Amino acid sequence: MSTPAEHPDPESVASHRAPPGPVQRLGSRAGVGTLLVAALAVGGAIANWRPVNGGGSGERERPFVQVGQIGEPVSTRLFDAAVLEVRGTAKVVATGLPHDTAGVWLVLRIRLVARDEPTTIGYAALRDQRGREYRATTRFGQALVSAGRLLQPGVPVEAEVAFEVPRDAATRLSVRFAEQQIDRRMDEMAEIPLPPVDQATVDRWASDPKPVKLAAPRVVEP
């Protein structure tokens, strides 16, 4: 005995959808394409976005560099700085001991004077044409720039400061001085280009066996 065939629920039949026709498939693909184009556009905008001023903070907060020339004082907010003499050598004597180098020593005789309040010079560095930086050596103490000597307003102090640099960087350099050793943002620094020398002069300095004894800080007449 056969049983009557089960008929589907009329409500469920009514909720079925017919397969999409050509026009519907085209519209669906167009919608996906639109979303894809929009996503690519947003992604491209994000990839090409750059902060104002290339990041802003580094450019806005860089030090204010006051540039002068050798033999003359360069004034900053807190101090005046002058380079009086430059010489090179293969060996320097400091605190009674000789110190050699695989490069060359540059010895600068400098004069510093605080302007309106007691000041220390925490930063002294040579800078070459490629932007490389060579701080005043810390292989031994240098009282004027690394030992925290307090400069008194209106009292000039002279001393020699030694920098150890590669031979290929020693032909064209400038020196910079600033109060802060690390954070020099939004502050003034003095920059003084050193007289350029040729490579033969640098090689002669580097092969000179006679050591240079660094002059200790001394107060001089204004």
Side-chain angles (χ1 to χ4, degrees):
M1 180 178 178
S2 60
T3 58
E6 294 184 0
H7 296 287
D9 185 350
E11 294 298 325
S12 66
V13 171
S15 66
H16 289 173
R17 295 181 181 178
V23 174
Q24 290 173 309
R25 286 196 296 269
L26 181 61
S28 176
R29 291 173 183 171
V32 171
T34 301
L35 291 175
L36 181 59
V37 170
L40 290 174
V42 172
I46 293 174
N48 291 325
W49 179 81
R50 295 290 185 275
V52 177
N53 292 331
S57 61
E59 188 72 17
R60 292 193 303 269
E61 297 178 359
R62 64 183 180 179
F64 301 99
V65 180
Q66 306 295 339
V67 181
Q69 57 186 356
I70 193 165
E72 296 184 0
V74 179
S75 296
T76 70
R77 179 176 60 88
L78 295 175
F79 63 90
D80 294 345
V83 175
L84 307 177
E85 183 183 4
V86 181
R87 51 181 174 162
T89 182
K91 186 178 295 186
V92 296
V93 176
T95 63
L97 298 174
H99 302 270
D100 56 12
T101 177
V104 64
W105 289 106
L106 288 185
V107 178
L108 277 56
R109 185 163 64 92
I110 65 174
R111 178 182 295 170
L112 300 172
V113 55
R115 294 177 64 82
D116 301 317
E117 59 187 58
T119 302
T120 58
I121 304 299
Y123 173 82
L126 295 178
R127 184 179 177 88
D128 69 9
Q129 294 296 100
R130 295 165 57 183
R132 296 178 298 181
E133 183 179 276
Y134 309 95
R135 298 282 189 101
T137 187
T138 56
R139 290 175 58 184
F140 46 82
Q142 302 205 74
L144 197 54
V145 296
S146 64
R149 181 185 179 112
L150 195 62
L151 301 172
Q152 297 300 326
V155 180
V157 179
E158 287 186 12
E160 286 188 316
V161 180
F163 302 83
E164 190 176 12
V165 300
R167 295 190 192 187
D168 66 349
T171 57
R172 188 177 292 272
L173 295 163
S174 59
V175 64
R176 287 181 167 185
F177 301 102
E179 179 202 18
Q180 294 296 325
Q181 183 178 16
I182 298 175
D183 189 358
R184 296 176 295 280
R185 293 175 298 176
M186 300 293 289
D187 204 355
E188 289 189 355
M189 66 167 57
E191 178 175 321
I192 301 169
L194 305 183
V197 296
D198 56 27
Q199 194 62 52
T201 299
V202 174
D203 293 340
R204 187 175 70 252
W205 287 343
S207 60
D208 188 351
K210 184 179 179 181
V212 169
K213 184 177 180 180
L214 297 183
R218 64 186 184 94
V219 175
V220 297
E221 292 294 328

